[in-house]
Amino acid sequence: MNTSKAPELALFPLTAEVNNQGQLVIGGCGVVDLVKEFGTPLYLFDEATLRQKCREFKEEFGKYYPDTLVIYASKAFLNRALALIFKEEGLGLDIVSGGELSIAHSVDFPLDKVYFHGNNKTPEELKLALDLGVGRIVVDNLYELELLNKLTKERGMGQDILLRLTPGVDPHTHQYTTTGTIESKFGFPLATGQAEEAVNQALSASNLNLLGFHFHLGSPVSEIQPYELAMELVLRFAKEMVKKFGFDLHEFDIGGGFAIPYTLDSKVPAIDDFARTLTGKLNSLVSGLGLSRPRLVIEPGRAIVGQAGVALYKVGAIKEIPGIKKYVCVDGGISDNIRPALYGAKYEALVANKASEAEREMVTIAGKLCESGDILVKDINLASVHPGDIIAIPVCGAYSIPMSSNYNAMPRPAIVMVKEGRARLIRRRETYQDLMNLDLI
Ligand code: LLP
């Protein structure tokens, strides 16, 4: 195939190219053909990009700090096909629910590499985690600490835990996804003395083995400095706990949140920048404080799946309000990607069947849901669009599908995985019947 790389492809999966008919090709599959076969809206994931990102995190952090465990944050998007890929790539998993745990278990994911997070794990979820043998439970509050100790006692077993600490550091991201500040619903604040109380209680809990601390500042975080500050605060606290209680820090989990570019002008640190700076900071803090070197755990979600995923829509109605706006309406919207409406998230887009057309016009890409806020991309320059054209939105791999809904009784999209010219369905499109399957009259 005679192909060329266009600059607008920078945000698309690593295998993206434009063929000599001006059509977008990903993983060796022409998206026009994919849409013909699987319909729209369609989400596609590029296997090469997914695996490359897993490897980059392992290699970049590992080369500076060999004792690093990369655990993928499942909430960014997990299904069985992805879980299998992460298993093959040797990653661990961050899970936050019995549902995510069940998906991991269904593909025999090594559960000793699973970290169970969450601010209100139910007794049933904790029992399931204990029965299946989850590696770490990241305890968020004293209620959970007591409950977990009781459940482990009843089972006559021990459980390795981390404590989630709230360092009181602002990561400068959207307020809905800020978690490291003192008023957060997550974790034990350092500043109020509750973190120390938690360490004291965890160390005296008969069946729990406190291995270390976790924090997560927020998501996406485009600066490195907030991580450095939080690491310093938590490691100083760890040093105090060593002195007070003779506690040993075996694991230090600095969460996820590593930002990725969504638009062509966005500037965020590369994985290597995060890796070099954060491991450098860890090394200098550990030696400065005289602590023994803990295992470093990182929890990237978005930065692993984001770029691998592309959303494909078909254009229907085009509405021009003269002198005001031109709407290009597509067959999905906030039901499959609520991020623009919820966080004001910005995306780029490309007319996938006219990817090399130079002509441009300013349009707004609107979804088909019954809300004026259902706008996917506001004021973007696109090739001239007509009904039936295909719009491709890059960097849709993280948090679109898992936050999707059946609002307006929209069936959820199909998802395909592409690799070396072959596409396989990894989730079939929901049908109208699916929408009614759980209803009882
Ligand atoms: N670890 C913990 C404890 C987390 O709470 C999160 C994300 C992560 C890791 C992974 O963060 P990531 O590397 O994916 O940025 N729905 C929002 C994002 C919410 C993130 C919640 N926690 C969005 O669409 O931007």
Side-chain angles (χ1 to χ4, degrees):
M1 191 188 296
N2 181 13
T3 56
S4 64
K5 199 97 181 164
E8 314 82 283
L9 295 188
L11 299 166
F12 280 89
L14 303 171
T15 60
E17 49 193 356
V18 174
N19 67 14
N20 50 17
Q21 284 123 51
Q23 297 175 350
L24 180 63
V25 175
I26 297 172
C29 298
V31 303
V32 174
D33 295 335
L34 290 177
V35 160
K36 268 193 203 129
E37 184 174 353
F38 299 103
T40 47
L42 180 67
Y43 274 69
L44 77 76
F45 280 82
D46 177 48
E47 189 167 332
T49 306
L50 266 180
R51 291 190 186 271
Q52 173 65 20
K53 296 293 166 189
C54 295
R55 289 170 199 176
E56 261 179 63
F57 269 100
K58 282 179 73 170
E59 284 163 19
E60 297 298 342
F61 276 80
K63 84 179 175 214
Y64 300 112
Y65 199 88
D67 192 10
T68 300
L69 177 66
V70 182
I71 63 174
Y72 168 71
S74 309
K75 69 208 81 172
F77 175 42
L78 190 73
N79 83 346
R80 301 185 70 210
L82 263 70
L84 263 177
I85 288 180
F86 299 134
K87 173 181 160 184
E88 284 170 14
E89 292 297 328
L91 265 51
L93 276 190
D94 145 1
I95 58 154
V96 291
S97 68
E100 288 179 348
L101 174 55
S102 302
I103 295 173
H105 179 55
S106 79
V107 299
D108 282 331
F109 199 92
L111 297 182
D112 57 323
K113 285 201 285 188
V114 169
Y115 286 57
F116 192 3
H117 288 281
N119 66 307
N120 191 22
K121 305 169 188 83
T122 64
E124 293 69 30
E125 287 177 319
L126 287 172
K127 284 180 201 163
L128 182 65
L130 293 174
D131 292 343
L132 294 180
V134 156
R136 308 278 184 274
I137 294 183
V138 184
V139 175
D140 180 272
N141 52 68
L142 288 181
Y143 165 77
E144 182 185 340
L145 192 71
E146 278 170 32
L147 176 61
L148 186 61
N149 197 41
K150 179 172 149 277
L151 295 173
T152 45
K153 246 193 216 162
E154 282 167 10
R155 284 167 170 65
M157 64 184 284
Q159 175 64 44
D160 290 332
I161 63 165
L162 304 184
L163 291 179
R164 178 167 184 158
L165 305 182
T166 320
V169 171
D170 186 351
H172 309 130
T173 188
H174 196 282
Q175 58 160 326
Y176 294 170
T177 56
T178 293
T179 52
T181 52
I182 187 158
E183 73 275 17
S184 169
K185 73 170 182 173
F186 297 101
F188 298 98
L190 287 184
T192 57
Q194 285 161 296
E196 179 172 334
E197 175 58 19
V199 173
N200 193 10
Q201 290 206 27
L203 289 172
S204 50
S206 53
N207 294 48
L208 304 181
N209 179 29
L210 177 61
L211 284 179
F213 299 136
H214 162 269
F215 70 80
H216 172 75
L217 295 180
S219 164
V221 181
S222 336
E223 299 163 37
I224 303 185
Q225 199 264 342
Y227 289 94
E228 293 184 274
L229 180 56
M231 287 169 83
E232 177 151 4
L233 292 169
V234 173
L235 288 179
R236 284 191 187 286
F237 171 75
K239 176 70 185 183
E240 269 179 55
M241 297 303 100
V242 172
K243 281 197 203 141
K244 258 199 182 138
F245 302 114
F247 152 78
D248 267 339
L249 183 76
H250 295 286
E251 283 192 15
F252 185 38
D253 181 344
I254 62 170
F258 312 108
I260 54 171
Y262 277 88
T263 53
L264 290 165
D265 60 358
S266 78
K267 290 200 174 30
V268 301
I271 297 174
D272 177 57
D273 297 325
F274 279 117
R276 195 171 12 84
T277 313
L278 297 181
T279 55
K281 183 77 181 175
L282 178 57
N283 277 324
S284 74
L285 282 168
V286 161
S287 40
L289 291 165
L291 286 166
S292 47
R293 275 172 154 240
R295 159 168 295 176
L296 174 64
V297 183
I298 53 167
E299 306 175 338
R302 183 189 318 268
I304 287 185
V305 287
Q307 190 186 353
V310 177
L312 298 166
Y313 303 95
K314 194 170 280 166
V315 175
I318 296 177
K319 179 176 293 178
E320 184 153 16
I321 309 165
I324 298 186
K325 227 172 181 46
K326 183 165 178 177
Y327 285 108
V328 168
C329 304
V330 296
D331 51 3
I334 49 173
S335 50
D336 64 86
N337 187 0
I338 200 172
R339 299 191 68 258
L342 190 58
Y343 311 118
K346 303 248 180 307
Y347 289 88
E348 301 283 355
L350 190 69
V351 186
N353 51 317
K354 297 173 178 170
S356 41
E357 203 173 286
E359 190 198 333
R360 287 280 183 266
E361 62 172 339
M362 174 81 83
V363 298
T364 283
I365 303 174
K368 73 186 270 16
L369 287 286
C370 282
E371 300 225 4
S372 293
D374 179 26
I375 300 295
L376 289 173
V377 189
K378 209 171 147 192
D379 298 336
I380 180 167
N381 279 310
L382 287 187
S384 63
V385 191
H386 298 282
D389 282 343
I390 297 161
I391 301 282
I393 302 191
V395 206
C396 278
Y399 299 106
S400 302
I401 291 292
M403 294 175 79
S404 65
S405 73
N406 290 126
Y407 185 41
N408 288 183
M410 285 279 287
R412 286 190 180 78
I415 309 177
V416 291
M417 180 80 76
V418 292
K419 185 188 178 185
E420 292 165 2
R422 295 162 72 122
R424 65 190 166 102
L425 203 55
I426 62 166
R427 184 184 289 171
R428 70 158 171 81
R429 181 176 305 285
E430 283 179 357
T431 62
Y432 292 148
Q433 186 58 48
D434 287 328
L435 299 177
M436 293 172 260
N437 273 348
L438 304 178
D439 286 356
L440 304 169
I441 293 181

